[in-house]
PDB file of all heavy atoms in Angstrom:
ATOM      1  N   ALA A   1       0.932  -1.181  -0.073  1.00 96.00           N
ATOM      2  CA  ALA A   1       0.010  -0.015  -0.051  1.00 96.00           C
ATOM      3  C   ALA A   1       0.871   1.284   0.066  1.00 96.00           C
ATOM      4  O   ALA A   1       0.517   2.220  -0.613  1.00 96.00           O
ATOM      5  CB  ALA A   1      -1.000   0.026   1.193  1.00 96.00           C
ATOM      6  N   GLU A   2       1.955   1.242   0.736  1.00 95.00           N
ATOM      7  CA  GLU A   2       2.918   2.336   0.707  1.00 95.00           C
ATOM      8  C   GLU A   2       3.463   2.617  -0.628  1.00 95.00           C
ATOM      9  O   GLU A   2       3.538   3.751  -1.046  1.00 95.00           O
ATOM     10  CB  GLU A   2       4.009   2.151   1.826  1.00 95.00           C
ATOM     11  CG  GLU A   2       4.826   3.349   1.930  1.00 95.00           C
ATOM     12  CD  GLU A   2       5.957   3.195   2.895  1.00 95.00           C
ATOM     13  OE1 GLU A   2       5.835   2.495   3.838  1.00 95.00           O
ATOM     14  OE2 GLU A   2       7.053   3.864   2.828  1.00 95.00           O
ATOM     15  N   VAL A   3       3.967   1.518  -1.309  1.00 94.00           N
ATOM     16  CA  VAL A   3       4.405   1.689  -2.601  1.00 94.00           C
ATOM     17  C   VAL A   3       3.393   2.406  -3.547  1.00 94.00           C
ATOM     18  O   VAL A   3       3.643   3.395  -4.232  1.00 94.00           O
ATOM     19  CB  VAL A   3       4.772   0.277  -3.246  1.00 94.00           C
ATOM     20  CG1 VAL A   3       5.180   0.410  -4.752  1.00 94.00           C
ATOM     21  CG2 VAL A   3       6.010  -0.319  -2.497  1.00 94.00           C
ATOM     22  N   LEU A   4       2.216   1.988  -3.443  1.00 95.00           N
ATOM     23  CA  LEU A   4       1.128   2.566  -4.308  1.00 95.00           C
ATOM     24  C   LEU A   4       0.811   3.984  -3.899  1.00 95.00           C
ATOM     25  O   LEU A   4       0.438   4.801  -4.752  1.00 95.00           O
ATOM     26  CB  LEU A   4      -0.274   1.706  -4.117  1.00 95.00           C
ATOM     27  CG  LEU A   4      -0.192   0.349  -4.821  1.00 95.00           C
ATOM     28  CD1 LEU A   4      -1.459  -0.389  -4.483  1.00 95.00           C
ATOM     29  CD2 LEU A   4       0.048   0.404  -6.295  1.00 95.00           C
ATOM     30  N   VAL A   5       0.969   4.279  -2.570  1.00 96.00           N
ATOM     31  CA  VAL A   5       0.753   5.762  -2.210  1.00 96.00           C
ATOM     32  C   VAL A   5       1.738   6.697  -2.958  1.00 96.00           C
ATOM     33  O   VAL A   5       1.317   7.636  -3.630  1.00 96.00           O
ATOM     34  CB  VAL A   5       1.103   5.873  -0.691  1.00 96.00           C
ATOM     35  CG1 VAL A   5       1.204   7.328  -0.358  1.00 96.00           C
ATOM     36  CG2 VAL A   5      -0.041   5.274   0.108  1.00 96.00           C
ATOM     37  N   TRP A   6       2.983   6.225  -2.974  1.00 93.00           N
ATOM     38  CA  TRP A   6       4.077   7.210  -3.653  1.00 93.00           C
ATOM     39  C   TRP A   6       3.786   7.205  -5.113  1.00 93.00           C
ATOM     40  O   TRP A   6       3.877   8.261  -5.788  1.00 93.00           O
ATOM     41  CB  TRP A   6       5.425   6.757  -3.348  1.00 93.00           C
ATOM     42  CG  TRP A   6       5.753   6.616  -1.859  1.00 93.00           C
ATOM     43  CD1 TRP A   6       6.259   5.599  -1.264  1.00 93.00           C
ATOM     44  CD2 TRP A   6       5.332   7.608  -0.805  1.00 93.00           C
ATOM     45  NE1 TRP A   6       6.258   5.769   0.121  1.00 93.00           N
ATOM     46  CE2 TRP A   6       5.715   6.997   0.403  1.00 93.00           C
ATOM     47  CE3 TRP A   6       4.697   8.736  -0.781  1.00 93.00           C
ATOM     48  CZ2 TRP A   6       5.560   7.615   1.561  1.00 93.00           C
ATOM     49  CZ3 TRP A   6       4.541   9.406   0.400  1.00 93.00           C
ATOM     50  CH2 TRP A   6       4.771   8.829   1.560  1.00 93.00           C
ATOM     51  N   ARG A   7       3.484   6.043  -5.706  1.00 92.00           N
ATOM     52  CA  ARG A   7       3.148   5.989  -7.188  1.00 92.00           C
ATOM     53  C   ARG A   7       2.050   6.872  -7.550  1.00 92.00           C
ATOM     54  O   ARG A   7       2.001   7.625  -8.512  1.00 92.00           O
ATOM     55  CB  ARG A   7       3.002   4.520  -7.589  1.00 92.00           C
ATOM     56  CG  ARG A   7       4.061   3.615  -7.436  1.00 92.00           C
ATOM     57  CD  ARG A   7       5.319   3.967  -8.265  1.00 92.00           C
ATOM     58  NE  ARG A   7       6.479   3.101  -8.063  1.00 92.00           N
ATOM     59  CZ  ARG A   7       7.520   3.323  -7.256  1.00 92.00           C
ATOM     60  NH1 ARG A   7       7.560   4.498  -6.569  1.00 92.00           N
ATOM     61  NH2 ARG A   7       8.544   2.469  -7.175  1.00 92.00           N
ATOM     62  N   LEU A   8       1.019   6.769  -6.783  1.00 93.00           N
ATOM     63  CA  LEU A   8      -0.290   7.424  -7.023  1.00 93.00           C
ATOM     64  C   LEU A   8      -0.072   8.956  -6.852  1.00 93.00           C
ATOM     65  O   LEU A   8      -0.684   9.742  -7.562  1.00 93.00           O
ATOM     66  CB  LEU A   8      -1.452   6.818  -6.083  1.00 93.00           C
ATOM     67  CG  LEU A   8      -2.804   7.303  -6.436  1.00 93.00           C
ATOM     68  CD1 LEU A   8      -3.215   7.068  -7.836  1.00 93.00           C
ATOM     69  CD2 LEU A   8      -3.714   6.656  -5.576  1.00 93.00           C
ATOM     70  N   ARG A   9       0.499   9.291  -5.752  1.00 91.00           N
ATOM     71  CA  ARG A   9       0.753  10.674  -5.461  1.00 91.00           C
ATOM     72  C   ARG A   9       1.608  11.393  -6.564  1.00 91.00           C
ATOM     73  O   ARG A   9       1.298  12.520  -6.988  1.00 91.00           O
ATOM     74  CB  ARG A   9       1.487  10.947  -4.184  1.00 91.00           C
ATOM     75  CG  ARG A   9       0.681  10.469  -2.903  1.00 91.00           C
ATOM     76  CD  ARG A   9      -0.250  11.614  -2.435  1.00 91.00           C
ATOM     77  NE  ARG A   9       0.446  12.705  -1.873  1.00 91.00           N
ATOM     78  CZ  ARG A   9      -0.105  13.840  -1.560  1.00 91.00           C
ATOM     79  NH1 ARG A   9      -1.387  14.009  -1.867  1.00 91.00           N
ATOM     80  NH2 ARG A   9       0.587  14.817  -1.022  1.00 91.00           N
ATOM     81  N   THR A  10       2.540  10.694  -7.048  1.00 88.00           N
ATOM     82  CA  THR A  10       3.378  11.152  -8.166  1.00 88.00           C
ATOM     83  C   THR A  10       2.503  11.454  -9.451  1.00 88.00           C
ATOM     84  O   THR A  10       2.595  12.426 -10.150  1.00 88.00           O
ATOM     85  CB  THR A  10       4.607  10.255  -8.438  1.00 88.00           C
ATOM     86  OG1 THR A  10       5.319  10.329  -7.226  1.00 88.00           O
ATOM     87  CG2 THR A  10       5.406  10.749  -9.662  1.00 88.00           C
ATOM     88  N   ALA A  11       1.680  10.405  -9.738  1.00 88.00           N
ATOM     89  CA  ALA A  11       0.851  10.358 -10.916  1.00 88.00           C
ATOM     90  C   ALA A  11      -0.197  11.490 -10.822  1.00 88.00           C
ATOM     91  O   ALA A  11      -0.438  12.161 -11.796  1.00 88.00           O
ATOM     92  CB  ALA A  11       0.171   9.002 -11.165  1.00 88.00           C
ATOM     93  N   THR A  12      -0.703  11.671  -9.770  1.00 88.00           N
ATOM     94  CA  THR A  12      -1.727  12.678  -9.498  1.00 88.00           C
ATOM     95  C   THR A  12      -1.154  14.133  -9.609  1.00 88.00           C
ATOM     96  O   THR A  12      -1.702  15.000 -10.269  1.00 88.00           O
ATOM     97  CB  THR A  12      -2.431  12.601  -8.030  1.00 88.00           C
ATOM     98  OG1 THR A  12      -3.136  11.279  -8.022  1.00 88.00           O
ATOM     99  CG2 THR A  12      -3.506  13.523  -7.802  1.00 88.00           C
ATOM    100  N   ALA A  13      -0.019  14.272  -8.958  1.00 86.00           N
ATOM    101  CA  ALA A  13       0.664  15.568  -9.091  1.00 86.00           C
ATOM    102  C   ALA A  13       1.069  15.902 -10.540  1.00 86.00           C
ATOM    103  O   ALA A  13       0.909  16.916 -10.891  1.00 86.00           O
ATOM    104  CB  ALA A  13       2.037  15.566  -8.210  1.00 86.00           C
ATOM    105  N   GLU A  14       1.485  14.957 -11.302  1.00 84.00           N
ATOM    106  CA  GLU A  14       1.751  15.154 -12.731  1.00 84.00           C
ATOM    107  C   GLU A  14       0.649  15.567 -13.433  1.00 84.00           C
ATOM    108  O   GLU A  14       0.537  16.429 -14.326  1.00 84.00           O
ATOM    109  CB  GLU A  14       2.371  13.871 -13.286  1.00 84.00           C
ATOM    110  CG  GLU A  14       2.952  14.068 -14.668  1.00 84.00           C
ATOM    111  CD  GLU A  14       4.089  15.116 -14.745  1.00 84.00           C
ATOM    112  OE1 GLU A  14       4.930  15.208 -13.818  1.00 84.00           O
ATOM    113  OE2 GLU A  14       4.119  15.785 -15.931  1.00 84.00           O
ATOM    114  N   ARG A  15      -0.509  14.832 -13.120  1.00 81.00           N
ATOM    115  CA  ARG A  15      -1.816  15.209 -13.806  1.00 81.00           C
ATOM    116  C   ARG A  15      -2.245  16.672 -13.515  1.00 81.00           C
ATOM    117  O   ARG A  15      -2.545  17.423 -14.423  1.00 81.00           O
ATOM    118  CB  ARG A  15      -2.903  14.188 -13.351  1.00 81.00           C
ATOM    119  CG  ARG A  15      -4.259  14.301 -14.056  1.00 81.00           C
ATOM    120  CD  ARG A  15      -5.306  13.387 -13.322  1.00 81.00           C
ATOM    121  NE  ARG A  15      -6.468  13.317 -14.123  1.00 81.00           N
ATOM    122  CZ  ARG A  15      -6.808  12.480 -15.129  1.00 81.00           C
ATOM    123  NH1 ARG A  15      -5.981  11.613 -15.455  1.00 81.00           N
ATOM    124  NH2 ARG A  15      -7.987  12.531 -15.693  1.00 81.00           N
ATOM    125  N   VAL A  16      -2.205  16.968 -12.147  1.00 80.00           N
ATOM    126  CA  VAL A  16      -2.610  18.391 -11.841  1.00 80.00           C
ATOM    127  C   VAL A  16      -1.604  19.357 -12.483  1.00 80.00           C
ATOM    128  O   VAL A  16      -2.000  20.417 -12.909  1.00 80.00           O
ATOM    129  CB  VAL A  16      -2.606  18.488 -10.298  1.00 80.00           C
ATOM    130  CG1 VAL A  16      -2.740  19.928  -9.908  1.00 80.00           C
ATOM    131  CG2 VAL A  16      -3.618  17.580  -9.693  1.00 80.00           C
ATOM    132  N   SER A  17      -0.280  19.075 -12.482  1.00 74.00           N
ATOM    133  CA  SER A  17       0.728  20.021 -13.128  1.00 74.00           C
ATOM    134  C   SER A  17       0.391  20.195 -14.576  1.00 74.00           C
ATOM    135  O   SER A  17       0.504  21.426 -14.976  1.00 74.00           O
ATOM    136  CB  SER A  17       2.062  19.318 -12.886  1.00 74.00           C
ATOM    137  OG  SER A  17       3.028  20.220 -13.548  1.00 74.00           O
ATOM    138  N   GLN A  18       0.093  19.154 -15.262  1.00 76.00           N
ATOM    139  CA  GLN A  18      -0.153  19.324 -16.672  1.00 76.00           C
ATOM    140  C   GLN A  18      -1.421  20.218 -16.901  1.00 76.00           C
ATOM    141  O   GLN A  18      -1.413  21.068 -17.804  1.00 76.00           O
ATOM    142  CB  GLN A  18      -0.340  17.932 -17.336  1.00 76.00           C
ATOM    143  CG  GLN A  18       0.859  17.130 -17.564  1.00 76.00           C
ATOM    144  CD  GLN A  18       0.548  15.680 -18.034  1.00 76.00           C
ATOM    145  OE1 GLN A  18      -0.524  15.300 -18.129  1.00 76.00           O
ATOM    146  NE2 GLN A  18       1.620  15.089 -18.269  1.00 76.00           N
ATOM    147  N   ARG A  19      -2.435  20.029 -16.119  1.00 71.00           N
ATOM    148  CA  ARG A  19      -3.675  20.874 -16.212  1.00 71.00           C
ATOM    149  C   ARG A  19      -3.333  22.314 -15.910  1.00 71.00           C
ATOM    150  O   ARG A  19      -3.774  23.250 -16.505  1.00 71.00           O
ATOM    151  CB  ARG A  19      -4.676  20.418 -15.323  1.00 71.00           C
ATOM    152  CG  ARG A  19      -5.394  18.986 -15.766  1.00 71.00           C
ATOM    153  CD  ARG A  19      -6.100  18.254 -14.766  1.00 71.00           C
ATOM    154  NE  ARG A  19      -7.221  19.002 -14.272  1.00 71.00           N
ATOM    155  CZ  ARG A  19      -8.110  18.459 -13.347  1.00 71.00           C
ATOM    156  NH1 ARG A  19      -7.749  17.230 -12.784  1.00 71.00           N
ATOM    157  NH2 ARG A  19      -9.168  19.190 -13.001  1.00 71.00           N
ATOM    158  N   ALA A  20      -2.446  22.521 -14.763  1.00 71.00           N
ATOM    159  CA  ALA A  20      -2.048  23.964 -14.514  1.00 71.00           C
ATOM    160  C   ALA A  20      -1.275  24.583 -15.599  1.00 71.00           C
ATOM    161  O   ALA A  20      -1.491  25.740 -15.883  1.00 71.00           O
ATOM    162  CB  ALA A  20      -1.276  23.967 -13.200  1.00 71.00           C
ATOM    163  N   ARG A  21      -0.388  23.874 -16.213  1.00 67.00           N
ATOM    164  CA  ARG A  21       0.424  24.390 -17.338  1.00 67.00           C
ATOM    165  C   ARG A  21      -0.495  24.767 -18.521  1.00 67.00           C
ATOM    166  O   ARG A  21      -0.445  25.843 -19.205  1.00 67.00           O
ATOM    167  CB  ARG A  21       1.522  23.474 -17.718  1.00 67.00           C
ATOM    168  CG  ARG A  21       2.574  23.311 -16.836  1.00 67.00           C
ATOM    169  CD  ARG A  21       3.804  22.623 -17.493  1.00 67.00           C
ATOM    170  NE  ARG A  21       3.612  21.231 -17.823  1.00 67.00           N
ATOM    171  CZ  ARG A  21       3.726  20.262 -17.094  1.00 67.00           C
ATOM    172  NH1 ARG A  21       4.209  20.367 -15.888  1.00 67.00           N
ATOM    173  NH2 ARG A  21       3.487  18.994 -17.542  1.00 67.00           N
ATOM    174  N   SER A  22      -1.409  23.861 -18.892  1.00 70.00           N
ATOM    175  CA  SER A  22      -2.383  24.186 -19.902  1.00 70.00           C
ATOM    176  C   SER A  22      -3.175  25.379 -19.630  1.00 70.00           C
ATOM    177  O   SER A  22      -3.505  26.269 -20.507  1.00 70.00           O
ATOM    178  CB  SER A  22      -3.326  22.948 -20.169  1.00 70.00           C
ATOM    179  OG  SER A  22      -2.571  21.880 -20.542  1.00 70.00           O
ATOM    180  N   ALA A  23      -3.715  25.468 -18.354  1.00 71.00           N
ATOM    181  CA  ALA A  23      -4.497  26.646 -17.906  1.00 71.00           C
ATOM    182  C   ALA A  23      -3.760  27.956 -18.033  1.00 71.00           C
ATOM    183  O   ALA A  23      -4.230  28.986 -18.567  1.00 71.00           O
ATOM    184  CB  ALA A  23      -5.086  26.463 -16.611  1.00 71.00           C
ATOM    185  N   ALA A  24      -2.509  27.821 -17.569  1.00 68.00           N
ATOM    186  CA  ALA A  24      -1.618  29.030 -17.540  1.00 68.00           C
ATOM    187  C   ALA A  24      -1.362  29.533 -19.094  1.00 68.00           C
ATOM    188  O   ALA A  24      -1.398  30.662 -19.409  1.00 68.00           O
ATOM    189  CB  ALA A  24      -0.280  28.846 -16.879  1.00 68.00           C
ATOM    190  N   SER A  25      -1.138  28.534 -19.943  1.00 67.00           N
ATOM    191  CA  SER A  25      -0.889  28.786 -21.320  1.00 67.00           C
ATOM    192  C   SER A  25      -2.149  29.429 -21.892  1.00 67.00           C
ATOM    193  O   SER A  25      -2.052  30.449 -22.727  1.00 67.00           O
ATOM    194  CB  SER A  25      -0.494  27.574 -22.053  1.00 67.00           C
ATOM    195  OG  SER A  25      -0.378  27.837 -23.430  1.00 67.00           O
ATOM    196  N   ARG A  26      -3.296  28.987 -21.658  1.00 67.00           N
ATOM    197  CA  ARG A  26      -4.686  29.512 -22.213  1.00 67.00           C
ATOM    198  C   ARG A  26      -4.830  30.926 -21.720  1.00 67.00           C
ATOM    199  O   ARG A  26      -5.229  31.765 -22.517  1.00 67.00           O
ATOM    200  CB  ARG A  26      -5.701  28.587 -21.878  1.00 67.00           C
ATOM    201  CG  ARG A  26      -5.853  27.302 -22.672  1.00 67.00           C
ATOM    202  CD  ARG A  26      -7.227  26.653 -22.477  1.00 67.00           C
ATOM    203  NE  ARG A  26      -7.506  26.436 -21.184  1.00 67.00           N
ATOM    204  CZ  ARG A  26      -7.161  25.294 -20.464  1.00 67.00           C
ATOM    205  NH1 ARG A  26      -6.508  24.318 -21.114  1.00 67.00           N
ATOM    206  NH2 ARG A  26      -7.533  25.066 -19.292  1.00 67.00           N
ATOM    207  N   SER A  27      -4.529  31.188 -20.398  1.00 68.00           N
ATOM    208  CA  SER A  27      -4.852  32.506 -19.910  1.00 68.00           C
ATOM    209  C   SER A  27      -3.809  33.567 -20.469  1.00 68.00           C
ATOM    210  O   SER A  27      -4.159  34.656 -20.467  1.00 68.00           O
ATOM    211  CB  SER A  27      -4.694  32.411 -18.364  1.00 68.00           C
ATOM    212  OG  SER A  27      -3.300  32.134 -17.935  1.00 68.00           O
TER     213      SER A  27
END
């Protein structure tokens, strides 16, 4: 479960980061 925590947190952060970059580019 701990392994999955770090993998999932990293994947979620990357997803949020990509959306933020896209939003910043559009604005």
Side-chain angles (χ1 to χ4, degrees):
E2 183 179 333
V3 172
L4 289 175
V5 166
W6 310 130
R7 299 293 179 262
L8 189 55
R9 292 280 287 171
T10 298
T12 301
E14 187 62 34
R15 185 184 185 92
V16 171
S17 175
Q18 288 175 352
R19 286 162 64 180
R21 288 196 297 269
S22 297
S25 177
R26 286 194 301 271
S27 67

